[in-house]
Amino acid sequence: MPAAKPMSAPRRRMIDDMTLRNLSPATQRSYLHAVTKFSRYFGCQPDRLGLEDVRSFQVYLVSQGISWPALNQIVCALRFFYGVTMDHAELPERIVYARTPRKLPSILSADEVVRFLEAVPSLKTRVALATAYAAGLRASEAVSLQVADIDSSRMVLQVRHGKGAKDRTVMLLAALLAILRSYWRLARPAPWLFPGRSPDKPIDVQVLHAACRSATKAEGLTKRVSVHTLRHSFATHLLESGTDIRIIQVLLGHSNLSTTARYTHVATSTIARTQSPLDRLDLTVTPPA
């Protein structure tokens, strides 16, 4: 067997930099993949490339029809590589992000959430998706739950190592607790609440994504449903029920209130209840004589 190819110095240093900053494994893989793709495009090590090369690479990616989120993910990786690993503090600000069109998130009604969850055949996957909706979790957060994270005495769930490696506490509804207890009596999971094929590892997020696609198709829903759709629906339903938007911000783990505020654009019942200035006017419209 041939010897493994030695790791380049820039790659080793970048891995060390990401580890020191406690970037998640998924983020590290994404950044390394992006910088490797950049390097292969030019056929040389990325530390020998500069700002004009980055710009040419971005133009190429756009010409290939890359999505704006994917392009911006590559921008994040290159900004990290040049700004942190290569210590070129002046470069990151000159590697521009793409201005992404702001689209409103797709939201399920309460009835659609029930229909969707009932279309998931696997008990473990159905409970994981129900938990994601009930607590507003990201897919990575749902699969990372451990049995010990359920605090029934305080009626809260502990979400550990969320986005940005931040922990947070979310509410544990009585209805969700009953579902989790029934599931635990049947499956006896430990330590992971939703174990994978091997009990010592959690279920893979791709299992949840695949279940979402299958349930959407099985139920004939016209909306595209993902785990994040359930999270969007959680936030919107809370807003429509009168929950303060700052509380929703904390529950979702958003750093900026502006990120949470976009749900005001899709909370239809809240919009419908909003009083127009016209309601305060003594105005009647009569047909002309």
Side-chain angles (χ1 to χ4, degrees):
M1 176 180 283
K5 186 178 180 181
M7 186 180 296
S8 68
R11 183 182 180 89
R12 178 70 267 170
R13 183 176 176 83
M14 185 176 180
I15 292 173
D16 291 342
D17 288 334
M18 293 189 293
T19 302
L20 287 171
R21 285 156 181 79
N22 200 25
L23 298 189
S24 72
T27 299
Q28 292 195 35
R29 288 193 298 270
S30 172
Y31 280 16
L32 287 172
H33 176 75
V35 175
T36 299
K37 187 174 182 178
F38 173 59
S39 175
R40 286 176 177 170
Y41 177 72
F42 289 99
C44 67
Q45 291 296 326
D47 56 330
R48 299 179 183 177
L49 300 170
L51 186 62
E52 281 303 310
D53 299 308
V54 172
R55 184 178 181 278
S56 298
F57 185 55
Q58 288 178 288
V59 171
Y60 163 74
L61 292 173
V62 172
S63 72
Q64 297 300 301
I66 190 173
S67 68
W68 298 124
L71 177 59
N72 281 339
Q73 194 171 47
I74 291 175
V75 169
C76 287
L78 294 175
R79 285 167 70 109
F80 183 93
F81 175 75
Y82 283 105
V84 178
T85 301
M86 300 306 299
D87 197 24
H88 296 318
E90 75 285 356
L91 282 186
E93 292 300 318
R94 299 174 66 187
I95 303 176
V96 297
Y97 289 105
R99 177 177 290 182
T100 57
R102 178 55 67 94
K103 296 182 180 180
L104 294 178
S106 178
I107 304 299
L108 299 179
S109 67
D111 177 64
E112 287 174 329
V113 171
V114 172
R115 288 167 48 201
F116 169 79
L117 292 174
E118 288 180 344
V120 180
S122 165
L123 172 65
K124 178 169 58 180
T125 309
R126 189 189 318 140
V127 174
L129 291 172
T131 303
Y133 167 71
L137 305 181
R138 300 176 178 91
S140 59
E141 295 169 344
V143 301
S144 298
L145 285 173
Q146 297 193 17
V147 175
D149 294 329
I150 304 172
D151 188 344
S152 58
S153 62
R154 297 170 56 221
M155 294 302 289
V156 294
L157 280 175
Q158 299 296 331
V159 180
R160 307 189 189 279
H161 303 293
K163 190 172 183 179
K166 296 177 182 177
D167 295 351
R168 72 180 188 280
T169 303
V170 298
M171 73 285 207
L172 173 61
L173 301 178
L176 176 60
L177 179 60
I179 291 172
L180 291 174
R181 280 175 169 167
S182 297
Y183 161 70
W184 187 85
R185 283 193 293 268
L186 290 169
R188 299 281 175 170
W192 301 103
L193 185 56
F194 307 112
R197 293 182 178 180
S198 175
D200 61 339
K201 293 182 180 179
I203 190 173
D204 193 285
V205 291
Q206 295 303 323
V207 175
L208 298 191
H209 295 322
C212 286
R213 292 191 293 270
S214 298
T216 302
K217 184 177 180 180
E219 192 53 37
L221 295 172
T222 56
K223 299 172 183 175
R224 182 181 177 184
V225 183
S226 65
V227 183
H228 228 64
T229 306
L230 298 176
R231 179 172 155 88
H232 292 323
S233 301
F234 161 85
T236 304
H237 295 166
L238 281 183
L239 190 62
E240 291 181 333
S241 66
T243 304
D244 189 289
I245 194 169
R246 288 164 294 188
I247 300 297
I248 300 174
Q249 177 191 3
V250 172
L251 292 173
L252 292 175
H254 285 162
S255 299
N256 299 314
L257 185 61
S258 59
T259 306
T260 317
R262 63 178 174 159
Y263 294 112
T264 60
H265 297 288
V266 289
T268 53
S269 64
T270 303
I271 293 171
R273 289 197 304 267
T274 304
Q275 188 181 42
S276 167
L278 182 66
D279 294 332
R280 296 192 292 271
L281 301 180
D282 183 17
L283 176 68
T284 58
V285 178
T286 58

